[in-house]
Each structure stands twice: as structure tokens, then as C-alpha cells.
Amino acid sequence: MNSIKSVPARVLSRRGGHSLEAEREQFDKNQAVSISKAINTQEAPVKEKHARRIILGTHHEKGAFTFWSYAIGLPLPSSAILSWKFCHVLHKVLRDGHPNVLQDCQRYRSNIRETGDLWGHLHDRYGQLVSIYTRLLLVKISFHIKHPEFPPGLEVPDEVLEKTAGTDVNNIFQLTVELFDYLDWELKLSESVFRQLNTSMAVSQMSAVQCRLAPLIQVIQDCSHLYHYTVKLMFKLHSCLPADTLQGHRDRFHEQFRSLKNFFKKASDMLYFKRLIQIPRLPESPPNFLRASALAEHVKPVVVIPEEAPEDEEPENLIEISTASTMEPQVTSDIFDQTFGPPNGIRDDRDAQIESLKKEVDVLRAEMEKIKLEAQRYITQLKAQVNSLEGEVEEQRKQKQKALVDNEQLRDELEKLQRVKQDSDRSQRLCAEAEKKATATEIRYTKLKEKHSELINTHAELLRKNADTAKQLTVTQQSQEEVARVKEQLAFQVEQVKREAEMKLEDQSLQMEQLRQELDARREELEQAQRSLSHAKQAGTELSAQVEALHAEKEVLRRSVSEKECELLSARGLIEEKELQLSQEVDKTSREIRELQGRLLEKSSQEQSLQQKLLDEQFIILQQTVREAEDILRDAVAKLDDPLHIRCTSSPDYLLSRAQAALESTDALEKGHAQYVASMADAAGLVGALALFAHLTADTIVNGSATSHLAPTDHADRLTETCRDCGQQSLDYLRKLKDKQTLGCAELGDVRRVLRGVLQLAQELRPKSLDIKQEELGDMVEKEMASTSEAIEDAVRRIEEMMSQARNESSGVKLEVNERILNSCTDLMKAIRLLVMTSTNLQKEIVESGRGAATTQEFYAKNSRWTEGLISASKAVGWGATQLVESADRVVLHTGKYEELIVCSHEIAASTAQLVAASKVKAEKSSRNLGKLQECSRNVNEMAANVVASTKSGQEQIEEKDTMDFSGMSLIKLKKEEMETQVKVLELEKRLEGERVRLGELRKQHYALAGTYGTEEDGEAKPAPAPRRGILKKPPLAQKPGHGEPQRDAGPSPPHI
């Protein structure tokens, strides 16, 4: 160990750098091998070990840069199976890769979208699946970029879901809709896969079927989480919003529930999934969101990935230890030889120690990789355990909710029992009171019975006494009358007691019976009392006592009334005192109000004076601003006649921008003027707009004068006069602003008129090619390239239709000729399609390498002339393909000429040459796509030559040549035929010459319509006439390019005739 410290620092630095570079190269090599093995054209599922190496690579470099650097080079447009497996690997990398993978994939969204669009237009079984899979991946990337709280693996606890949703109903509503869209694309992919397969148990074991089924494992994992989150959010929405509002959400959820249940059922029945994934079972019916307690019945579906076999899990080493260990000592020895010279046959101990340490490091690195892989396997197992524990937790939570519900029910029952117990206690108390009353009544009955017996005895004694009979009779009669009256009163009291007892004890039957017995006893007691005089007297005494009590109460009430009257008199006195105080306060308040009104009048007069002073100051500021603006405009107008200014030049584009800005400033000036007229206390808006108007108008005048120095005489004079008129109209408007009398009627109509005149002249002086809105150029390039591809696809389809029609309608030599011509046309169309695709790739490469930090639209706008050249060339190719198909159709139907096919072939060769030249302008010489484009161009030329050759040979076979037999003619007749033939030859030559002249004129007119104005060598722009509107408007059908289009400087310049 001590000997390593004595190694020179430069040697160690070289060794360390070499080791890192070698390790990086080995990592790139292993990643490339894994990607090539995982993503290939074999119709078999992606092997797990290759996908695992790619995922470990993303964790190693903390991103997916290496993956995408190899992935964008894959020939995805050439094979649908290759694109399908690429989407599968990308899905796994997104789910299990490093978190930075999501940002890297966001940068390549356009590549994913282009792959999906390409295969979506083709009628291929894998192609349709690729189109849907790419849409799913784009939706997945967009969702996780927008909601970073959700990792691409979608494994988050419910607390994070609650925090992300928040309490805002709008946020919860929007998040639910996004989860619905996410789940829709997952289910659409699964339905498309099952639609293409026979889902019997035997078919799922075929490699071709497994290639389609393999990505559904990730889809099942995503769907389980999305379903759980959707249920949670739906319950939360129903707790915040009425049920009618969420009817659409419930319908959409029920449809997704049925699709997901069907998907899980089909997948569970297949042998392929049974050994790879444990699919959860959904409930028989969807959750009832209208019942809040149904949330407790919801169980989170948990997907479990079974542990793989050890031999399948054991991956190859990411770094080839044997290679590294054999190469590094050789490199080390080379470094020592270069630094210290040859060892002269003596080996240093330090080298031996270094080599041994290197071997130890390699062994430790291999062990570390194994430990990492084991850790990854343990993490997978722990995830499975966590998922199972989460399922158990959900089950426990469900049981807890049920226990809470049962507890609430038991608590309600307990309260009911307590209320029943209280009622029973109250009834018992009433029964006890009734028993006491009954006992007292019995005692009273006993006493009355004793008195009754005494009265009987007394009555018997009285009967024996004859002497007192008459007297007792009279007394008895009187007593009976009194007893009758007492009886009526007592009967009335008994009825009242009865009614009260019935109202209080009508619900207690037992008590009613007891009270009835008591009433009967009382009736018997009253009947006995009728014969009791003493009892009658006692009752009269009680009545008199009651009357006396009433009299006493009456006296008390009378005294209280007198007291109340005294209190009322005292209250009236207090009210009078309060009214007096209130009147005094009202007088005082009125005096204060008059004083405040006087002060208010003083304040209003002061405010009016200050307001007038403010108006005067604002008007003074406006006048000073107007004078400054006049000075600026006079200085600009003076430069129109300044001889020193004649050397200044400007471009029509800059003049156009300045005039447009000045014209726009008039709107702000008019608005500020209207505000000032409405309220003259604030001139800030008018002053600011006036300053801006003066500067922009002066700038327009000065640049108009500078632009006229490079314009033709007629345009220069008109521009100078218009600028002078602009300055004069602006000064007239400013003079009106200086006078208060004319301030309100100042108008900007004349100023706008002259500014529009400057705009029109600047527009006339612009070159034609600049007449296009530059922001539309990028869209036009993509549209024209797409329309060209569509035209070529349509041409291929029409040629195939003509081929089948020719086989049905012709035979023999004609069929052979037609097939040969149509086959050559088909080969030409395929070559053109390949050339257009290569040109599109080269164009993208040029834009990506040249735009820098700018957008694609800005790059096209900056290189507008090159962009227009691409558009013209693309139109020419599409038009040539359309014309070739139409000519071939007419030739097959014997309504056209073979020469039309030859001319169309030459036209297509020229158009493709123009497209290649337009693409080569900004391409790098070392570009691989440029070489492919040139090769495709040569292929197109060869195919065009084949079309010409096929046409000529077919023409020779079809056309019948008359045999020239002149043996039977005389000398005079031969001479006559010779003269007639010479006349025909002269006529045909004259006609040919005329047609050539006409062709030349047509080409001149074509170049004149398609030509653009160049620039001088010193960089000064030549003046151009007024451009025609709608130059680049796309025709409804493919037509001859260049008609109504400017010539692009990026393509080859047309020859002059």
C-alpha cells in the first residue's frame, strides 16, 4: 500500500482517466447490445434480462440519454414489430427507470408522435397497435409532467393523492377527468390487442402471441392504480357536489369498470399471465357513489409480480471483468514505458502491487454489481410484500369502518334502552303515588264509615223521641237543601278532578282503574256526606274561607294597581325630561350643521380654485409636449431636403415596421385625446401617447426618405411626397391641440391616411418572396411535405388499381406492355416516396442543428427563402407524380400518348433534382442523410429512365409500322411521292419550329411568374414592383408548380432562353 503512494501523480491521473473512459465505453457498448437484443424485428416478447439492463443503465447514468441516443437511430419506420417492441421497452423504462427518464422522454415527444402517426396511416396489424401505444405513452408523459407528485410507476399513498387533489372542487374535477383519459388509453390498447388475438389457452403460448401480450403486464399495473385513484376521487367529488352534476362522471366510470373487469378476466384466463403476474379481482358491481359508507367497502386492487427463477434473474455482468482486467495492465505498462523508458528486463515491485490491486478492484466491482442485482431483487420482493401488506391494511381498514358502523348502531340502541328505562322509572313513581292516594282514600273511607254508623245510631235515637220529630223534620229539610247545593258543587269539582286524571293517566291502564276505584269511593263518601249535617257545615265554612281569601286577593290586586299608576306617573315625568333634553340637543346639532356647511362652502371654493389651477398646469404640460413633438417632426421633415441625408439608406421591411408602429400609436393617441377631452384634469395618457406618436412618425419619415434613395424614381418621388404630407398632416393635428377652441375637434383621419400610404408604398417596394407571413412558413413546409407524401401514396394506389383493371380488360402483347409500364411507374413512385422521406429526415436534421435556442417556426422565418425553395420543390414532386399517374391511365385506356409518359418522367426527374438541390443548400457535407438523399435521387433518375425505356419499347411493340414497298411504282409516281413527302417534311419542320418557339415563350412566362428579385453584390436591395396577393396559396388539387409562385433561391435557377 505504501508503494502506491510513491507512483508519480501524472501517471495516476492518466491511469484514472483511461479507466473512466474505458468504463464509459464498456457501459455504452453493453447498453447498445442490450438495446439491440431487446428491440429487434423478431416476433417474440422482450426478454426481461435485456430490459433490466437498460433500466439499470438509466439508474447508472441518472437519466435516459444513452438509451435515446441509440433509440433515435433505430429504423422504426421500416418495421412495425420493431416499433412495437420499442414502445414496450420505453414503457418499462418510464415505469422502473430513473426519475430523470421522464424529462428525457419529454424532449423526444415528437419522435414518438411521428412513429405513431406513420404507422397509424398504414393498414398493418402491428402498425395499428403501435399507433395506439404511442398515444398512450404521450398521455402518460404529459400526465406525469403536469403532476410530478405521481411517479411514472403510479405508486403513491392515499395521503399524497389527497394532498394533490386539495380542497378545491375544480382541481378535483379536473384531476378526475385526466385520470379517466389516462385509463381510457390503457383500456383501448388492451382491447386492440385482444381483438387481434384468439384468446384460447393454447394460443397464448406461441411466441408471436406473447409478443403482443407482453406489454399488457405494464398496462395491468397501471390500470390497478388508476382504478383505485379514480374511486377515491369520485367519492370525494360526491361529497362536495350534487349527484345530478356528476351523472356523466358516473356513466363514464361504469363503462370503464366494465371494460377493466372484462380485461382482467380475459388476462386471468390466459396461461401466459398466470406465471408472470397475479391479477387482482374486481367486485361484481361498481361502487355506489351515492352512498358515502360504500367507501369502506372498497378494496384497493393489488398487483403482485411473482418472484422469478434464479437462473432467469441472474444477468450478465454490465462490465466484462475479464476483458477489463486483461487490457488495463497492458495499458499501464505502455504508460510506464512511455514515461520512464523500458524496464530493461527488471520488473518493479510497484507494478506487481498495482496489478494485484487492479485485480482486487475488478473482483470487488464484480461483487458490487452482484450485490446491486441482489438488492434489486430484494427490492422487488419487498415491493411484492408491501403490496400484499397494503391489501391487508385495506382489509383491516374495511373491518375498522364496519366496526365503527356497528358501534354507532349499538350506541343508538343503548340510548333507546336508557330512554325506555327512564320511562319505566317514571311509571313506577306514578304507580307508587297512586298507591299512596288509594291508601289515603281507604283511610278516609273507614273514617266516614265510622261516622255513618254514629249517625245511624243518632238517627235511631231521634226517631224514638216523638216530641222532637217535627222540629227535626224541618231542620232535616233545610239541611237537605243545603246538602243538595253542596252536592252540586262537589260534583262539579269531582268532574274537574276526573278530567285532569284522565288527561294525565290516559296512557296507563292500571292507573286508570285505580283512579276509577278512588272516584267510586269518593262518590260513596259524598252520598254518606248528604246525611251528615256536620260535614255540610264544615264545607260551608271552607267556602266562606275561600270567599274571604278572594276578597283579600282583590285588595292586594287593588293596591298593586295603585302602585302601578304611581310608577306610570313617575315614568311620564322622566319622559318629559328626556324630551326636553332631546330638543336642546337638536338645537345644538342644527347650529353645528350650519357651521359645517359654511366650512364646506369654503372648502368647495378652495377646491374649485385648485381644480382650475390643476387644469391650467395640465394644459401647460400638454402645450410643452406639443411644442417638443412639433420640433421633432419639423426636424424629420427637414431631413427630406437635407443633402447630407442622401447617403443614408434603409430597407422596405424596416420602413414597413416603423410605419406600422406609427399607425398603431395613433390608436393610443386617439384614446388619450378622448380621455383628456372627457377629463382635462389628467393629461398623462395624452402626453405619453403624443411623445410616442411624434417619435414613431418622425422615425417613419426619416426611414421613408432613406428607403427612397434605393427605390426607382417613380416610387421614390411618391414615397418622398407621402412622407412630406405625413409630416404636414401631423403638424396640423398638433396645431389643433395647442388651441383650446380646436382641441376637442382634432381628428387623426388624415394622419392615418398618409401613414397607410407609406405602408402601401413600403409593401410595393418589398421583394415578392417576403410577402408571405413568416410565421406561416414552418406550417407550410410540413403541410406541403405531407401533401406530397399523400399525393405519392394516392399515385401508388391508383397505379395498383390500373394494374388490376388492365389485367381484367387486356391480354397478350397489350397486357405485357401495360404491366411493364405500370410496374416501372410503381418502382418510380416507391423511389420518389423514399426520396421524400429521406428529404424530410434531412430537413429535420438541418432544423435541429441550425435553430439553436430558437423554435422551429423562428428558424423557418429566419431562412424564409430556403423554406420557400423547399415548398416549391415539394409541390413540383407532388404535381409530377399526379401527372404521371394520369398519363399512365390514359395510355392504358388507349386515350393518351406514350410521349406524355416520357415528358412526365423527365419532369419528375427535374423536380426531384430541385428538391435535392433545395435540401443540399443548408445540409452539412458529412451528413449521412444527405448521402442517402443523393443516392435516392440517383435511384429516382434510374427509375425515370426505366419508365422512358419501357414506354418506348411498348410503343414500338404496339404501333404497327407500314412496310415501304415501292417496287410497283413508276418513275413519275415515285418522283411525285418524293415531292409530296418533302412538302410534308417541310411542313412538319415548320410546325416543329413553331412549337419550339411556343415552348420557349411558355418557359419564359413560367420563369417570369416564378422568378424572385435578387440582391446586388454590395448588399443593397433592388426595388420590386407591387407583389401579388396569395402567391403561396395552396391549390385544391395538385397542379403545375411555379404558376403563381415565386421562384425559390434554394433550388436550381432556371435556364434563360
Side-chain angles (χ1 to χ4, degrees):
M1 295 297 291
N2 295 333
S3 61
I4 294 178
K5 296 181 180 180
S6 61
V7 177
R10 58 178 182 175
V11 177
L12 290 176
S13 63
R14 291 178 185 176
R15 292 177 178 177
H18 177 76
S19 176
L20 290 175
E21 291 176 2
E23 189 172 334
R24 179 62 190 181
E25 290 176 359
Q26 188 65 29
F27 172 76
D28 292 341
K29 178 182 177 182
N30 291 332
Q31 285 293 298
V33 171
S34 299
I35 292 172
S36 63
K37 289 183 178 180
I39 306 174
N40 51 42
T41 57
Q42 296 179 1
E43 195 172 7
V46 177
K47 290 188 177 180
E48 187 65 26
K49 63 179 181 180
H50 302 318
R52 188 189 299 114
R53 290 174 186 168
I54 298 172
I55 293 170
L56 290 177
T58 62
H59 288 279
H60 177 75
E61 65 173 357
K62 295 180 176 58
F65 176 77
T66 303
F67 171 76
W68 277 108
S69 63
Y70 288 108
I72 58 177
L74 295 172
L76 299 179
S78 63
S79 173
I81 298 176
L82 189 70
S83 302
W84 173 253
K85 298 178 81 171
F86 163 74
C87 294
H88 182 196
V89 174
L90 181 59
H91 196 174
K92 293 177 73 68
V93 169
L94 276 172
R95 279 189 55 84
D96 303 327
H98 194 271
N100 294 336
V101 169
L102 186 62
Q103 298 295 333
D104 294 337
C105 294
Q106 175 69 12
R107 301 188 188 99
Y108 294 94
R109 285 175 58 90
S110 59
N111 299 77
I112 302 173
R113 185 182 296 106
E114 289 174 3
T115 302
D117 293 342
L118 172 65
W119 288 109
H121 296 305
L122 301 178
H123 300 288
D124 184 85
R125 295 175 67 83
Y126 271 104
Q128 298 300 321
L129 296 179
V130 171
S131 177
I132 297 174
Y133 210 163
T134 53
R135 292 294 300 274
L136 169 60
L137 293 175
L138 292 174
V139 169
K140 185 179 183 69
I141 294 171
S142 301
F143 177 82
H144 293 293
I145 288 291
K146 184 177 180 181
H147 302 286
E149 300 87 359
F150 291 91
L154 289 170
E155 293 184 4
V156 294
D158 293 342
E159 292 78 9
V160 176
L161 178 63
E162 294 289 337
K163 183 178 179 181
T164 304
T167 57
D168 190 358
V169 179
N170 296 326
N171 294 338
I172 302 172
F173 195 92
Q174 182 64 27
L175 182 59
T176 307
V177 172
E178 293 174 0
L179 288 174
F180 278 152
D181 297 338
Y182 198 163
L183 187 56
D184 275 340
W185 282 107
E186 299 275 2
L187 295 174
K188 189 176 294 184
L189 178 61
S190 64
E191 291 172 358
S192 301
V193 170
F194 282 124
R195 196 181 302 119
Q196 293 188 9
L197 297 178
N198 178 12
T199 56
S200 63
M201 305 302 289
V203 173
S204 65
Q205 302 303 314
M206 298 172 59
S207 61
V209 176
Q210 291 178 0
C211 182
R212 289 182 172 90
L213 293 177
L216 297 186
I217 296 176
Q218 283 72 43
V219 173
I220 293 171
Q221 292 176 317
D222 289 346
C223 288
S224 63
H225 294 291
L226 292 174
Y227 169 76
H228 175 64
Y229 301 152
T230 306
V231 172
K232 288 284 188 180
L233 293 178
M234 285 291 289
F235 274 109
K236 193 167 186 179
L237 276 177
H238 279 78
S239 66
C240 302
L241 295 175
D244 295 339
T245 307
L246 300 172
Q247 182 62 41
H249 274 46
R250 289 197 299 275
D251 295 341
R252 188 174 183 185
F253 177 82
H254 291 163
E255 183 179 354
Q256 288 185 348
F257 178 82
R258 289 191 295 270
S259 300
L260 184 61
K261 186 175 179 63
N262 189 21
F263 169 39
F264 281 1
K265 185 176 183 302
K266 289 182 179 179
S268 301
D269 294 338
M270 303 186 76
L271 292 175
Y272 175 71
F273 291 110
K274 289 184 178 179
R275 65 182 183 85
L276 295 177
I277 187 171
Q278 182 179 340
I279 302 173
R281 296 180 62 86
L282 296 181
E284 293 298 328
S285 59
N288 185 9
F289 300 112
L290 302 178
R291 185 167 56 88
S293 60
L295 177 61
E297 302 172 3
H298 169 67
V299 179
K300 178 181 179 181
V302 179
V303 177
V304 179
I305 304 295
E307 184 180 358
E308 299 178 1
E311 61 271 13
D312 294 335
E313 271 194 358
E314 186 65 23
E316 300 175 3
N317 291 323
L318 293 177
I319 301 175
E320 295 181 2
I321 301 172
S322 60
T323 305
S325 61
T326 56
M327 291 177 62
E328 288 184 2
Q330 183 179 357
V331 175
T332 305
S333 62
D334 294 339
I335 295 173
F336 268 88
D337 291 343
Q338 294 176 5
T339 307
F340 303 106
N344 296 325
I346 301 174
R347 188 173 184 83
D348 195 357
D349 294 337
R350 298 175 182 175
D351 294 336
Q353 292 179 359
I354 290 172
E355 289 180 1
S356 62
L357 290 174
K358 287 283 186 179
K359 293 179 180 179
E360 292 179 1
V361 168
D362 293 336
V363 172
L364 292 174
R365 186 180 290 113
E367 292 179 356
M368 184 178 66
E369 293 297 333
K370 292 182 179 179
I371 292 171
K372 285 182 179 179
L373 293 173
E374 292 178 358
Q376 189 69 25
R377 185 168 63 252
Y378 293 152
I379 288 172
T380 305
Q381 295 175 358
L382 290 174
K383 283 184 177 180
Q385 294 178 3
V386 167
N387 291 333
S388 61
L389 291 175
E390 286 181 354
E392 295 177 0
V393 168
E394 289 295 331
E395 185 67 24
Q396 294 293 332
R397 187 175 299 168
K398 177 181 176 183
Q399 294 178 0
K400 178 182 177 182
Q401 292 291 338
K402 290 183 177 179
L404 290 174
V405 173
D406 296 339
N407 191 13
E408 290 294 332
Q409 294 177 354
L410 292 174
R411 187 175 297 169
D412 294 338
E413 294 178 357
L414 180 61
E415 291 178 356
K416 291 180 180 178
L417 291 174
Q418 289 177 353
R419 286 195 295 269
V420 171
K421 182 179 180 181
Q422 291 176 358
D423 294 338
S424 63
D425 294 339
R426 189 180 299 109
S427 300
Q428 289 178 0
R429 286 196 298 272
L430 292 174
C431 291
E433 291 177 356
E435 289 177 356
K436 291 180 181 179
K437 290 180 179 180
T439 304
T441 305
E442 289 180 356
I443 294 171
R444 290 172 63 186
Y445 175 73
T446 304
K447 291 181 179 180
L448 289 174
K449 187 175 181 181
E450 293 175 353
K451 289 182 179 180
H452 178 65
S453 60
E454 292 177 358
L455 288 174
I456 291 173
N457 297 327
T458 303
H459 180 65
E461 292 177 358
L462 289 174
L463 288 174
R464 295 187 190 100
K465 295 178 179 179
N466 294 325
D468 297 333
T469 302
K471 188 177 180 179
Q472 286 291 337
L473 180 61
T474 305
V475 174
T476 303
Q477 291 177 353
Q478 293 177 356
S479 299
Q480 287 179 353
E481 293 176 358
E482 292 178 359
V483 168
R485 288 193 301 271
V486 172
K487 182 179 179 181
E488 292 178 357
Q489 293 177 357
L490 291 174
F492 178 73
Q493 292 178 358
V494 168
E495 290 296 329
Q496 288 183 347
V497 172
K498 181 180 179 181
R499 285 196 298 270
E500 291 177 359
E502 288 177 354
M503 290 175 62
K504 291 180 180 178
L505 302 175
E506 62 181 354
D507 295 334
Q508 303 292 335
S509 60
L510 180 61
Q511 295 179 7
M512 288 286 292
E513 293 294 331
Q514 294 176 355
L515 290 175
R516 285 173 183 172
Q517 293 176 3
E518 182 180 356
L519 289 174
D520 293 338
R522 288 184 180 181
R523 287 194 185 99
E524 293 176 358
E525 183 179 344
L526 288 173
E527 290 174 357
Q528 296 296 331
Q530 291 177 0
R531 292 186 293 268
S532 177
L533 294 175
S534 61
H535 183 70
K537 292 178 180 180
Q538 185 178 0
T541 304
E542 291 177 355
L543 290 174
S544 62
Q546 290 179 358
V547 171
E548 291 177 358
L550 289 173
H551 284 292
E553 186 177 358
K554 182 178 179 181
E555 291 295 330
V556 172
L557 290 174
R558 187 176 298 166
R559 286 194 298 271
S560 64
V561 168
S562 60
E563 292 175 358
K564 293 294 182 181
E565 289 177 353
C566 295
E567 292 178 358
L568 180 62
L569 292 175
S570 63
R572 286 178 180 176
L574 292 174
I575 290 172
E576 290 176 356
E577 292 178 0
K578 293 293 182 182
E579 289 179 352
L580 181 60
Q581 293 177 359
L582 183 61
S583 62
Q584 293 175 356
E585 291 179 357
V586 168
D587 294 338
K588 183 179 179 181
T589 305
S590 61
R591 288 194 300 272
E592 291 178 354
I593 289 173
R594 286 193 294 272
E595 292 177 359
L596 291 175
Q597 287 177 350
R599 293 178 184 176
L600 182 61
L601 292 175
E602 293 177 1
K603 292 290 183 181
S604 61
S605 61
Q606 293 177 1
E607 185 178 355
Q608 288 178 359
S609 62
L610 291 174
Q611 185 72 19
Q612 186 62 36
K613 185 178 179 181
L614 176 62
L615 294 176
D616 295 338
E617 290 178 354
Q618 293 292 321
F619 187 72
I620 292 170
I621 293 171
L622 177 62
Q623 296 305 309
Q624 292 176 354
T625 306
V626 169
R627 284 195 292 272
E628 291 292 335
E630 287 179 343
D631 294 339
I632 293 171
L633 289 173
R634 288 194 186 98
D635 181 66
V637 173
K639 283 187 171 58
L640 294 173
D641 301 324
D642 190 356
L644 298 177
H645 189 258
I646 200 169
R647 296 178 60 87
C648 298
T649 61
S650 181
S651 65
D653 291 317
Y654 187 70
L655 174 60
L656 190 65
S657 65
R658 294 291 86 198
Q660 185 66 36
L663 185 60
E664 292 175 355
S665 68
T666 58
D667 297 334
L669 180 59
E670 186 175 17
K671 183 178 178 181
H673 178 260
Q675 291 177 353
Y676 181 71
V677 171
S679 175
M680 292 189 176
D682 185 12
L686 181 57
V687 169
L690 195 59
L692 178 63
F693 168 74
H695 284 289
L696 292 176
T697 306
D699 197 10
T700 302
I701 295 171
V702 172
N703 283 281
S705 176
T707 305
S708 66
H709 296 158
L710 294 177
T713 306
D714 184 22
H715 287 80
D717 294 340
R718 288 167 57 194
L719 184 58
T720 304
E721 290 302 323
T722 305
C723 292
R724 196 185 306 279
D725 190 15
C726 179
Q728 187 61 39
Q729 294 295 336
S730 301
L731 291 172
D732 293 341
Y733 174 74
L734 294 177
R735 276 195 292 274
K736 291 181 181 179
L737 294 180
K738 293 172 66 176
D739 189 3
K740 289 186 177 180
Q741 302 295 330
T742 59
L743 178 63
C745 60
E747 297 290 339
L748 285 167
D750 296 334
V751 178
R752 286 175 174 158
R753 176 180 55 78
V754 293
L755 283 174
R756 292 191 183 97
V758 174
L759 277 172
Q760 183 177 359
L761 289 172
Q763 190 70 27
E764 292 176 358
L765 290 174
R766 291 181 68 210
K768 287 183 182 178
S769 60
L770 299 178
D771 188 49
I772 312 165
K773 292 183 180 179
Q774 292 185 351
E775 62 269 13
E776 298 177 358
L777 286 176
D779 296 335
M780 290 183 64
V781 172
E782 296 179 359
K783 290 179 181 178
E784 291 303 332
M785 296 301 287
S787 63
T788 302
S789 300
E790 291 176 1
I792 293 170
E793 293 292 339
D794 186 62
V796 173
R797 181 181 56 78
R798 290 182 60 186
I799 289 173
E800 292 176 355
E801 293 176 356
M802 287 188 287
M803 181 78 75
S804 61
Q805 183 178 1
R807 289 172 179 169
N808 295 330
E809 296 179 357
S810 59
S811 61
V813 177
K814 291 184 180 180
L815 177 60
E816 180 183 355
V817 170
N818 291 338
E819 286 184 346
R820 187 163 60 247
I821 292 174
L822 293 178
N823 286 331
S824 61
C825 291
T826 303
D827 294 338
L828 177 58
M829 289 298 106
K830 292 180 180 179
I832 293 173
R833 180 171 62 182
L834 184 59
L835 182 136
V836 170
M837 292 173 61
T838 309
S839 175
T840 303
N841 295 333
L842 179 59
Q843 172 196 343
K844 292 179 181 178
E845 178 183 337
I846 293 170
V847 172
E848 290 298 326
S849 62
R851 68 185 180 91
T855 62
T856 304
Q857 303 294 336
E858 293 174 354
F859 177 81
Y860 283 130
K862 182 180 179 182
N863 303 275
S864 58
R865 297 175 69 85
W866 173 73
T867 305
E868 292 166 4
L870 283 176
I871 295 172
S872 177
S874 177
K875 280 188 175 182
V877 173
W879 179 85
T882 304
Q883 292 298 319
L884 179 65
V885 173
E886 292 177 356
S887 299
D889 191 13
R890 288 194 293 270
V891 168
V892 171
L893 297 176
H894 306 292
T895 58
K897 299 178 181 180
Y898 289 95
E899 287 78 5
E900 294 179 2
L901 278 177
I902 297 174
V903 172
C904 289
S905 300
H906 291 307
E907 184 67 25
I908 286 176
S911 301
T912 53
Q914 182 184 359
L915 181 60
V916 173
S919 302
K920 286 175 59 179
V921 171
K922 291 189 176 296
E924 297 180 359
K925 294 182 180 180
S926 60
S927 175
R928 184 181 300 174
N929 287 324
L930 178 59
K932 292 181 179 179
L933 182 63
Q934 292 173 346
E935 183 180 352
C936 292
S937 177
R938 289 191 292 270
N939 191 18
V940 169
N941 291 333
E942 292 177 1
M943 295 298 105
N946 289 338
V947 172
V948 173
S950 301
T951 304
K952 289 183 178 180
S953 63
Q955 185 179 9
E956 292 175 357
Q957 283 183 282
I958 296 298
E959 293 180 353
E960 296 180 358
K961 295 184 177 180
D962 297 333
T963 57
M964 298 180 184
D965 186 9
F966 306 111
S967 60
M969 291 185 180
S970 62
L971 180 62
I972 299 300
K973 194 169 184 179
L974 284 172
K975 189 65 176 178
K976 183 179 179 181
E977 290 290 334
E978 180 182 354
M979 292 176 65
E980 291 177 355
T981 303
Q982 288 179 355
V983 170
K984 288 183 180 179
V985 168
L986 292 175
E987 289 176 352
L988 291 175
E989 287 179 350
K990 184 177 180 180
R991 185 178 176 185
L992 177 61
E993 187 65 26
E995 292 296 330
R996 284 177 176 169
V997 172
R998 184 171 182 270
L999 177 61
E1001 293 298 328
L1002 287 173
R1003 286 180 175 174
K1004 285 182 181 180
Q1005 183 65 20
H1006 168 64
Y1007 297 145
L1009 290 175
T1012 57
Y1013 292 91
T1015 57
E1016 296 180 357
E1017 293 181 356
D1018 56 357
E1020 297 180 352
K1022 293 182 181 181
R1028 287 176 293 275
R1029 302 295 178 187
I1031 288 178
L1032 292 180
K1033 185 176 181 181
K1034 181 179 177 182
L1037 296 174
Q1039 62 181 16
K1040 177 69 176 177
H1043 290 262
E1045 291 187 9
Q1047 177 63 27
R1048 319 303 183 200
D1049 65 340
S1053 59
H1056 296 283
I1057 299 176

